[in-house]
């Protein structure tokens, strides 16, 4: 297995995606292009620019520690594909 | 066995649930034990388009924890997304802090087995959110998810690999628990999951300075499991090294019933979590005014209080440590010492009778049936010589069961000690007359005979004679000057 193959599978694994062998080649090429694009940013020499953590110049958007009403159990479970005893039921994971 | 001595190297990641009323990014309550999925909203269940807003108190609590553990506070901090897929995490990412945690580079002091003080360095303390709870569905019909815990604020306290034994790890955790309780940001109840711990452990030849390959055992929620994990993981890794097999870096799960670890997953690299700043949350800037405001909430910490107790109240070191091990107990002592005006007697009664009573009744000091003021009054009666030691115990027991004040108990049961010299002299004279042999022994130099005579006076007075005065009067009467 080539380095690119391993790398693709690792990323697919993290994203919990099953990738068919036919798609592999296209995906490796696409991802390579995406990385190349992102690397252009690293190549920029901008020592004067401070590290930015947010897209807009805002800070301290905070709320007081005061409870607000939660949703009803029924509403919370309304989107669940399956439920049981007030919980979302999912395939066995534990 | 090769005969090489090995050393265990332990680092801990402690998760402490903050005792805010609401979750960290929404107004849902954090209260323990609610019906499943009733403390949830679109924000904490990860509905698309819902917008989180940081709970100010959670930030303040995190900073307070940092101040209490000698950390440096990052005045500029931010929240990041840690991406991974697991069904207890409906958003598919946990909001945590990556490169700008609120607190960094702190330390705590613990006491080692040999009684020495040892510094345990803290790498960082950051704010993050808890995940949901998964349980088995009946008849193997899947897993069940309760999202009430999703978004409950947690502090993750990460140490450097500075501990060398289960005992040191335990001391560290007890110390953390004590501090969190002192600064009142968490109740650290392991049984309710409000304090949990991951154990990072490696072994190395005792002579080596290089760190071995470590494993991380997740989510331990009792001192007992932590101790067992440290023992079993040490033994397992030593055995591998002895066989020449390298330890594989992995995340482990501890099976309490089987008493062994199993591999949960091979260790992810930080990059696998694809951390990036959460675009929905604005960075946090703790400016000077806010910092000073948070600092003003910092109470006297256990270590400082222990030292003050020794200095101010002249208490023995072990008693000072015991009294300051719990903020409520230390408060109790200070109140009782003030009322009683007797630091040592108050210390003696609290570390003895009071703690025994609390243990017997299985209550905390805050729920003590005898308040510090009442105990202080009782101590005043003792110190004034109004009642004897054995009478005081009797009064104490009545106070514990009826809640009556010591004064009313002493009055209504006519327990007042006889300290009147006239009355005592009369009794002493009778005792001297009736016990010529003991008097003879005493006069012949057998000092011990005085004890017998005092005993006789106690008997004559039905236990009400002040024993100290009784002894003095007997001595005086038998040695006419
Ligand atoms: Zn919510």
């Amino acid at each position: 297995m080539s380095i690119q193959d391993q790398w693709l599978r690792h990323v697919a694994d993290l994203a919990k995606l099953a990738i068919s062998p036919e798609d592999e080649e296209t995906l490796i090429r696409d991802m390579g292009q995406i990385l190349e694009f992102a690397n252009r940013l690293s190549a920029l020499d901008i020592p004067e620019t401070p590290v930015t953590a947010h897209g807009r110049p805002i800070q301290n958007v905070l709320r007081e520690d005061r409870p607000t009403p939660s949703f009803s159990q029924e509403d919370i479970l309304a989107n669940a594909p399956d439920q049981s005893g007030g919980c979302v039921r999912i395939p066995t994971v534990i | 066995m090769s005969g090489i001595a090995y050393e265990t190297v332990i680092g801990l990641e402690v998760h402490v649930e903050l005792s805010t009323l609401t979750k960290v990014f929404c107004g849902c309550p954090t209260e323990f034990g609610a019906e499943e999925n009733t403390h949830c909203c679109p924000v904490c269940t990860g509905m698309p388009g819902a917008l989180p807003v940081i709970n100010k108190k959670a930030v303040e609590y995190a900073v307070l924890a940092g101040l209490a553990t000698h950390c440096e506070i990052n005045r500029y901090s931010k929240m990041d997304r840690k991406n991974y897929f697991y069904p207890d995490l409906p958003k598919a990412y946990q909001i945590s802090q990556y490169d700008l945690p609120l607190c960094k580079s702190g330390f705590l002091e613990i006491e080692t087995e040999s009684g020495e003080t040892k510094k345990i360095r803290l790498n960082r303390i950051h704010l993050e959110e808890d995940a949901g709870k998964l349980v088995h569905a009946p008849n193997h019909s899947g897993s069940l998810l309760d999202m009430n815990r999703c978004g409950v604020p947690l502090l993750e306290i990460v140490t450097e690999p500075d501990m060398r034994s289960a005992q040191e790890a335990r001391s560290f955790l007890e110390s953390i628990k004590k501090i969190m309780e002192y600064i009142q940001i968490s109740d650290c109840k392991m049984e309710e999951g409000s304090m949990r711990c991951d154990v990072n452990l490696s072994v190395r030849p005792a002579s080596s300075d290089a760190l071995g390959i470590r494993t991380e055992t997740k989510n331990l929620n009792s001192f007992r499991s932590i101790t067992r994990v440290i023992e079993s993981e040490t033994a397992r890794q030593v055995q591998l090294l002895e066989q020449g097999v390298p330890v594989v870096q992995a995340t482990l799960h501890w099976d309490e019933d089987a008493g062994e670890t199993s591999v949960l997953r091979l260790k992810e690299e930080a990059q696998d979590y694809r951390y990036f700043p959460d675009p929905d949350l604005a960075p946090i800037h703790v400016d000077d005014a806010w910092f000073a405001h948070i600092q003003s909430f910092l109470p006297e910490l256990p270590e400082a209080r222990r030292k003050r107790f020794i200095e101010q109240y002249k208490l023995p070191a072990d008693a000072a440590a015991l009294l300051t091990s719990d903020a409520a107990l230390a408060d109790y002592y200070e109140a009782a010492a003030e009322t009683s005006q007797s630091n040592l007697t108050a210390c003696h009664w609290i570390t003895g009778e009071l703690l025994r009573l609390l243990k017997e009744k299985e209550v905390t000091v805050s729920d003590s049936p005898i308040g510090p003021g009442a105990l202080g009054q009782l101590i005043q009666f003792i110190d004034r010589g109004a009642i004897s030691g054995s009478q005081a115990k009797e009064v104490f027991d009545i106070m514990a069961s009826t809640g009556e004040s010591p004064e009313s108990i002493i009055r209504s049961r006519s327990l007042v000690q006889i300290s009147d010299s006239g009355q005592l002299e009369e009794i002493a004279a009778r005792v001297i007359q009736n016990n010529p042999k003991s008097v003879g022994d005493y006069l012949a130099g057998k000092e011990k005979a005085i004890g017998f005579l005092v005993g006789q006076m106690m008997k004559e007075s039905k236990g009400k004679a002040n024993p100290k005065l009784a002894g003095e009067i007997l001595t005086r009467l038998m040695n006419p000057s």
Side-chain angles (χ1 to χ4, degrees):
Chain A
M1 208 179 348
S2 74
I3 279 279
Q4 278 101 333
D5 278 337
Q6 283 182 25
W7 170 67
L8 179 74
R9 280 184 201 181
H10 181 62
V11 174
D13 198 42
L14 289 175
K16 304 274 187 274
L17 291 175
I19 289 175
S20 65
E22 306 86 76
D23 290 335
E24 271 184 30
E25 206 181 311
T26 333
L27 282 168
I28 287 172
R29 200 180 54 235
D30 287 355
M31 281 176 64
Q33 281 171 358
I34 291 167
L35 276 186
E36 214 178 281
F37 177 72
N39 281 338
R40 280 201 234 162
L41 291 174
S42 312
L44 290 175
D45 186 23
I46 42 169
E48 304 302 314
T49 313
V51 176
T52 318
H54 200 269
R56 293 172 51 210
I58 50 168
Q59 60 189 26
N60 293 348
V61 180
L62 304 164
R63 38 172 278 273
E64 296 301 322
D65 186 27
R66 268 196 293 274
T68 52
S70 295
F71 277 35
S72 69
Q73 189 190 59
E74 197 187 356
D75 284 344
I76 287 298
L77 296 177
N79 286 326
D82 190 12
Q83 52 172 284
S84 169
C87 292
V88 181
R89 181 156 62 188
I90 57 168
T92 306
V93 289
I94 47 168
Chain B
M1 289 291 288
S2 64
I4 300 176
Y6 288 91
E7 178 177 61
T8 309
V9 177
I10 304 160
L12 297 175
E13 288 170 30
V14 188
H15 290 90
V16 166
E17 181 189 328
L18 294 177
S19 53
T20 52
L21 294 175
T22 66
K23 294 185 178 182
V24 58
F25 303 117
C26 64
C28 291
T30 52
E31 195 189 338
F32 182 77
E35 204 185 324
E36 293 86 349
N37 293 305
T38 54
H39 287 174
C40 304
C41 73
V43 172
C44 54
T45 55
M47 294 293 163
L51 270 180
V53 185
I54 303 174
N55 183 338
K56 188 175 170 191
K57 185 149 267 170
V59 175
E60 297 182 340
Y61 280 2
V63 172
L64 205 53
L67 292 174
T69 51
H70 310 99
C71 282
E72 214 177 293
I73 307 301
N74 270 325
R75 300 299 196 90
Y76 184 78
S77 183
K78 67 179 167 74
M79 306 305 301
D80 300 283
R81 292 186 181 180
K82 179 181 181 180
N83 299 277
Y84 66 96
F85 292 107
Y86 201 68
D88 63 2
L89 197 66
K91 295 196 296 293
Y93 57 84
Q94 178 193 29
I95 304 176
S96 180
Q97 298 196 282
Y98 182 51
D99 54 339
L100 289 174
L102 277 160
C103 322
K104 62 179 179 190
S105 316
F107 70 87
L108 264 191
E109 281 177 347
I110 61 160
E111 200 168 291
T112 63
E113 288 99 322
S114 55
E116 281 160 50
T117 302
K118 179 173 176 179
K119 216 175 239 195
I120 307 296
R121 291 169 299 153
L122 302 184
N123 175 290
R124 60 191 278 157
I125 300 178
H126 69 248
L127 182 63
E128 62 180 31
E129 58 176 337
D130 204 352
K133 187 174 149 201
L134 286 167
V135 291
H136 293 287
N139 311 318
H140 305 283
S141 59
S143 298
L144 299 178
L145 172 64
D146 170 11
M147 297 180 282
N148 284 346
R149 310 285 313 156
C150 289
V152 166
L154 300 179
L155 285 189
E156 181 170 327
I157 304 167
V158 184
T159 77
E160 297 294 351
D162 287 351
M163 284 153 279
R164 297 291 175 267
S165 67
Q167 184 54 46
E168 287 185 16
R170 192 192 169 107
S171 276
F172 175 80
L173 290 167
E174 281 170 350
S175 178
I176 284 282
K177 185 174 151 72
K178 192 159 65 175
I179 289 174
M180 298 301 134
E181 285 167 354
Y182 256 74
I183 60 178
Q184 297 181 356
I185 66 165
S186 172
D187 55 16
C188 292
K189 283 188 187 149
M190 276 196 154
E191 64 284 6
E192 285 184 9
S194 62
M195 180 162 155
R196 309 191 291 263
C197 181
D198 303 340
V199 173
N200 290 314
L201 185 146
S202 62
V203 296
R204 64 182 177 197
S207 55
S208 164
D209 279 337
L211 289 172
I213 292 169
R214 69 188 165 97
T215 59
E216 177 179 4
T217 310
K218 291 295 239 186
N219 247 333
L220 303 165
N221 58 7
S222 74
F223 286 126
R224 188 180 125 85
S225 332
I226 292 161
T227 304
R228 291 180 74 198
V229 162
I230 291 174
E231 283 162 4
S232 106
E233 208 24 41
T234 301
R236 188 185 72 88
Q237 292 190 18
V238 166
Q239 196 183 16
L240 287 174
L241 295 185
E242 288 277 309
Q243 293 164 351
V245 182
V247 174
V248 175
Q249 188 172 353
T251 303
L252 308 178
H253 166 76
W254 170 249
D255 185 332
E256 185 70 48
D257 298 326
E260 59 186 26
T261 48
S262 58
V263 175
L264 203 60
R265 53 182 178 259
L266 295 179
K267 185 71 189 170
E268 294 95 340
E269 302 291 333
Q271 65 191 28
D272 289 346
Y273 288 120
R274 291 148 290 144
Y275 280 99
F276 63 88
D278 193 313
D280 289 342
L281 294 164
I284 302 160
H285 176 215
V286 184
D287 62 20
D288 289 349
W290 193 15
F291 185 76
H293 176 71
I294 300 171
Q295 233 174 357
S296 72
F297 291 116
L298 192 68
E300 185 183 29
L301 295 169
E303 196 45 32
R305 203 168 191 186
R306 188 181 68 81
K307 286 181 182 151
R308 179 168 64 80
F309 273 29
I310 295 174
E311 217 152 88
Q312 180 182 342
Y313 298 114
K314 311 280 180 249
L315 299 185
D318 54 344
L322 177 61
L323 289 173
T324 55
S325 64
D326 172 359
L329 185 64
D331 290 344
Y332 188 105
Y333 171 75
E334 296 208 84
E338 195 184 339
T339 315
S340 70
Q341 291 297 312
S342 175
N343 305 336
L344 284 173
T345 319
C347 169
H348 175 75
W349 276 81
I350 292 170
T351 55
E353 291 302 311
L354 185 80
L355 286 183
R356 182 193 54 77
L357 173 74
L358 298 180
K359 199 171 167 192
E360 191 184 289
K361 300 229 167 195
E362 293 177 347
V363 292
T364 62
V365 66
S366 326
D367 297 324
S368 169
I370 300 176
L375 183 64
Q377 284 166 14
L378 174 64
I379 291 168
Q380 281 193 359
F381 283 109
I382 304 167
D383 277 359
R384 263 193 259 134
I387 51 172
S388 69
S390 61
Q391 286 174 328
K393 261 190 196 149
E394 207 182 319
V395 176
F396 182 88
D397 288 340
I398 299 170
M399 286 164 75
S401 52
T402 66
E404 262 179 276
S405 77
E407 194 177 355
S408 95
I409 295 168
I410 291 167
R411 236 186 237 150
S412 65
R413 291 167 181 76
S414 54
L415 285 170
V416 180
Q417 179 166 261
I418 305 172
S419 297
D420 176 74
S421 339
Q423 249 179 309
L424 289 174
E425 272 172 31
E426 260 175 53
I427 303 171
R430 261 205 311 278
V431 165
I432 290 174
Q433 200 175 5
N434 296 339
N435 297 281
K437 187 175 175 298
S438 299
V439 174
D441 285 350
Y442 173 76
L443 292 174
K446 285 190 187 160
E447 298 259 326
K448 273 188 188 161
I450 193 97
F452 173 78
L453 293 168
V454 170
Q456 291 305 303
M457 281 189 68
M458 298 308 287
K459 207 166 146 191
E460 282 267 325
S461 67
K462 299 193 172 65
K464 288 184 191 167
N466 177 327
K468 192 163 164 273
L469 277 178
E472 284 167 17
I473 288 171
L474 279 167
T475 315
R476 182 152 48 78
L477 291 183
M478 290 188 289
N479 293 302
S481 48

